[in-house]
Amino acid sequence: MNDITRIGNEPFGGYYKPKDRPVDDELSRVGPGTPCGEYLRRFWHPVMMSERIGDRPLLLRVLGEDLVLFRDLSGDVGLVHKHCSHRGMSLEFGIVGKHGIRCAYHGWCFASSGQIMETPGESPRSVLKERIFHGAYPAVEYKGLVFAYFGPPETKPAFPRLDMMELSDNEMVPWQIHSPCNWLQVSENSMDPYHTPFLHTRMSGVQFEEAWGELPVVDFHERDLGYFYTNARRSGDNIWVRIHDHLLPNFSQNGALYERGEVVRYFGRSSLTRWVTPIDDTNTYVIAWRNLNAMDDPDRRARRDEIGWESVDFYGQSAHRPDPQRLSNPGDWDAWVGQGPINSHAREHLGGTDQGVRLLRNALRKGIRDLQRGIEPVRPEGSSGGPVPTFAGDTIVRVPRGTGDDRKLILETSRRVAEAYVNHQHLPDAERRAAITRDLEPLNVVA
Ligand code: FES
Ligand SMILES: [Fe+2]
């Protein structure tokens, strides 16, 4: 009992454990003026599925701000502050016009840019509408999702242009699901490949494929926009290398959902193109596309009719399961929501398998602190030369177990795969695929 370092670290020592759960404000707070909120406001984020915008303005909360999203009669989307600039009535009651929205209280009319078009009750000589702007954010619709930029207009990046968004023969189906918890714990799940053998396979039954039950050999690679990592396993005589993307701050892509590593193939692409958009400090949306294509899902196991609002066609992603089922067989949603409204980093005990979580937190902290010093983050803008290359997907090569350390062989193989992906990342898709295949085919050991 005299050894202070042991207090609480002995059997039945719960009494001595700290009971508070201090919050890591720097990474968790997303509201206006907070360090993380400012950083997040330097990026485009998806905010809503297009199909949710009906005839009426839609109330929305993003990054701790109350907003109204609408489609005007010319078909353009507008995203403006909820409370009218005149005397604060909610614009959810507004009347949508040809260009913009009109407040129901005294008829002020706002363009989507926030420009005040009319103040009908005021004298014709009034200059009120020339003097002020209503709060508004640029919003863009792309493949069924509305994206918005919440930062200073002068630092607005180009709309993100990622290779997956321009792939041929790939159907991108939007989906969106709410989680009542902080954004970071949802986002960190994608940098934690070690939960897959446990949560999804060994703990309460196989949720995806039995092959996911093997502890992967994981290797992280840094890039200017964030990270990608290889997540490799043995599957019989094959080595199955699965790659995930994580672009800062909140974007991720993973491999095929129903892969088992049984058939040799090269450069499969991502089944999910996904953002984690903070609603406020304790609520989050996953807003994403499910990528449907014949190559990554040859057996056509995807269930298109289950992909959409508050629903997606793979295990454990929402609250909408009966409690007994959720409690006995929890999924990703239960894992991140179960960490509490805001997880306390001070009460965690990170181990070797938490490398991805550490990397992500450190990178976010650096981005946040750089911005405070005036250094703007790198954003995934793409260029006229092409979209931003991403890597997520699966490669499977035939490399039977040798006489040496198999995990070392798996790591070496995954590094060869990563090298081929990086070396050819700037080629157009068909040439890229051909070049990667050419590089990786020799890895196969012929029986
Ligand atoms: S409160 Fe909106 S026009 Fe008066
Ligand atoms: Fe998961």
Side-chain angles (χ1 to χ4, degrees), residues 21 188 339 343-351 354 357 361:
R21 288 175 56 80
E188 283 174 349
Q339 290 171 310
N343 190 21
S344 173
H345 300 165
R347 297 289 170 254
E348 295 175 314
H349 299 90
L350 300 187
D354 300 303
V357 171
R361 289 181 190 171

Side-chain angles (χ1 to χ4, degrees), residues 189 195-196 199-200 332:
N189 176 272
H195 80 269
T196 302
L199 180 72
H200 296 316
D332 288 311

Side-chain angles (χ1 to χ4, degrees), residues 84 86-89 103 105-108:
C84 175
H86 177 216
R87 282 184 40 232
M89 185 179 180
C103 178
Y105 208 176
H106 312 93
W108 285 28

Side-chain angles (χ1 to χ4, degrees), residues 22-82:
V23 167
D24 187 341
D25 287 325
E26 188 175 37
L27 300 184
S28 305
R29 304 291 181 195
V30 300
T34 60
C36 185
E38 281 301 302
Y39 172 70
L40 291 169
R41 281 169 171 77
R42 293 315 199 260
F43 298 83
W44 285 89
H45 302 282
V47 297
M48 188 53 66
M49 292 170 58
S50 294
E51 69 168 47
R52 301 292 296 175
I53 314 174
D55 297 338
R56 300 285 327 151
L58 187 67
L59 262 188
L60 193 64
R61 197 166 155 77
V62 184
L63 294 169
E65 297 187 39
D66 290 316
L67 306 161
V68 166
L69 177 65
F70 60 92
R71 186 189 305 287
D72 69 22
L73 299 182
S74 68
D76 294 333
V77 288
L79 183 64
V80 298
H81 284 175
K82 172 184 173 184

Side-chain angles (χ1 to χ4, degrees), residues 125-302:
R125 290 185 302 283
S126 165
V127 290
L128 252 181
K129 66 178 186 299
E130 279 81 44
R131 289 215 331 259
I132 47 174
F133 260 78
H134 187 65
Y137 297 113
V140 169
E141 248 179 321
Y142 187 85
K143 296 195 176 186
L145 295 178
V146 179
F147 290 76
Y149 170 75
F150 297 88
E154 59 276 16
T155 62
K156 187 179 84 163
F159 185 74
R161 191 181 162 210
L162 306 169
D163 56 358
M164 273 307 293
M165 293 154 83
E166 300 179 8
L167 217 56
S168 54
D169 303 322
N170 179 51
E171 186 188 9
M172 304 185 82
V173 185
W175 54 283
Q176 177 164 357
I177 293 176
H178 171 250
S179 292
C181 66
N182 187 253
W183 76 282
L184 186 59
Q185 55 220 58
V186 183
S187 204
E188 283 174 349
N189 176 272
S190 314
M191 279 290 271
D192 172 16
Y194 292 99
H195 80 269
T196 302
F198 299 101
L199 180 72
H200 296 316
T201 317
R202 298 186 195 176
M203 303 312 296
S204 46
V206 176
Q207 298 174 352
F208 294 88
E209 296 292 345
E210 185 122 34
W212 292 22
E214 184 178 316
L215 201 66
V217 176
V218 179
D219 196 26
F220 286 90
H221 299 257
E222 193 173 356
R223 55 183 298 194
D224 59 346
L225 292 164
Y227 292 92
F228 74 94
Y229 62 86
T230 55
N231 177 21
R233 293 175 169 85
R234 174 152 297 290
S235 175
D237 280 344
N238 295 339
I239 290 178
W240 165 22
V241 181
R242 191 168 173 77
I243 297 195
H244 287 236
D245 293 303
H246 199 109
L247 305 189
L248 295 169
N250 58 345
F251 173 85
S252 66
Q253 294 188 134
N254 61 337
L257 277 179
Y258 301 108
E259 184 58 67
R260 288 189 293 263
E262 290 171 353
V263 179
V264 168
R265 67 188 187 113
Y266 311 97
F267 197 48
R269 298 312 313 265
S270 171
S271 54
L272 305 171
T273 295
R274 172 184 183 266
W275 283 260
V276 170
T277 301
I279 298 171
D280 52 30
D281 291 351
T282 54
N283 290 280
T284 301
Y285 277 130
V286 170
I287 306 181
W289 287 292
R290 182 81 168 80
N291 297 308
L292 306 183
N293 60 72
M295 193 182 69
D296 285 332
D297 184 15
D299 304 332
R300 290 311 216 185
R301 291 172 64 184

Side-chain angles (χ1 to χ4, degrees), residues 83-91 102-110 118-120:
H83 295 288
C84 175
S85 283
H86 177 216
R87 282 184 40 232
M89 185 179 180
S90 171
L91 290 175
R102 190 181 291 278
C103 178
Y105 208 176
H106 312 93
W108 285 28
C109 182
F110 306 100
E118 292 174 41
T119 54

